[in-house]
Amino acid sequence: MNNHISNKLPNSLWAGFVAITANTIFLKAASLFHIAAESGGLLKLILLHTKQYLSSNVLSLTKTTGFWLLFHYITGFAMVLMYVYLFEKLLPGNAWLKGSLFSLLPWLINGCIVLPLLGQGFIGVHQLTTAGMIYFFIANWMFG
């Protein structure tokens, strides 16, 4: 492992934990403002294509807040590792700029691939209001 990366990994994982937690709280707070800012995205897509292989007990488990949180943290840490190993050296600028540019990746994957595959349209236009789409964009930017 590159020494530069191995030195940054513990701090990156800690920063990732803080970013995922802030993102989670921000997404869950959307309902306080009567904004639907998410629709299940990647988890919903995975379940759509795997539910025939899962028992009813496992399917019930996937609908719990605890499972959603676990999935959210796992995917968040996967993005942190992707940033550290693939993008940290490739992106220009300081940490704020790099994080902002990187935050576009999950937002674009979700908005251009995942949500259309769920029938929700580009960036969720068939499911989310404009406020919800903007809120979700801000949540992704906060994570980055």
Side-chain angles (χ1 to χ4, degrees):
M1 181 187 309
N2 181 322
N3 195 32
H4 171 73
I5 290 174
S6 64
N7 289 339
K8 285 189 164 230
L9 192 57
N11 287 337
S12 297
L13 292 173
W14 175 246
F17 176 78
V18 171
I20 297 163
T21 302
N23 174 268
T24 302
I25 292 168
F26 190 72
L27 285 172
K28 290 301 178 190
S31 63
L32 297 173
F33 307 107
H34 307 288
I35 296 173
E38 59 176 332
S39 63
L42 183 59
L43 179 58
K44 187 181 281 184
L45 184 64
I46 291 169
L47 291 174
L48 180 70
H49 293 287
T50 60
K51 67 182 173 185
Q52 69 265 24
Y53 306 109
L54 303 175
S55 71
S56 60
N57 288 339
V58 172
L59 280 173
S60 295
L61 178 67
T62 64
K63 295 177 180 161
T64 65
T65 301
F67 186 86
W68 180 86
L69 284 168
L70 178 65
F71 184 82
H72 197 71
Y73 274 88
I74 289 170
T75 57
F77 280 121
M79 288 190 290
V80 168
L81 293 174
M82 183 187 320
Y83 174 82
V84 169
Y85 287 104
L86 299 176
F87 290 89
E88 207 268 340
K89 284 187 171 184
L90 298 175
L91 294 175
N94 63 30
W96 284 98
L97 180 60
K98 288 179 184 187
S100 295
L101 291 172
F102 181 75
S103 73
L104 293 173
L105 181 65
W107 183 76
L108 286 170
I109 290 170
N110 192 62
C112 297
I113 299 169
V114 175
L115 295 180
L117 285 173
L118 288 170
Q120 297 179 19
F122 176 71
I123 64 172
V125 71
H126 301 311
Q127 180 81 22
L128 303 173
T129 64
T130 302
M133 289 183 273
I134 292 169
Y135 197 95
F136 189 73
F137 176 82
I138 293 169
N140 274 273
W141 177 77
M142 282 178 58
F143 172 79

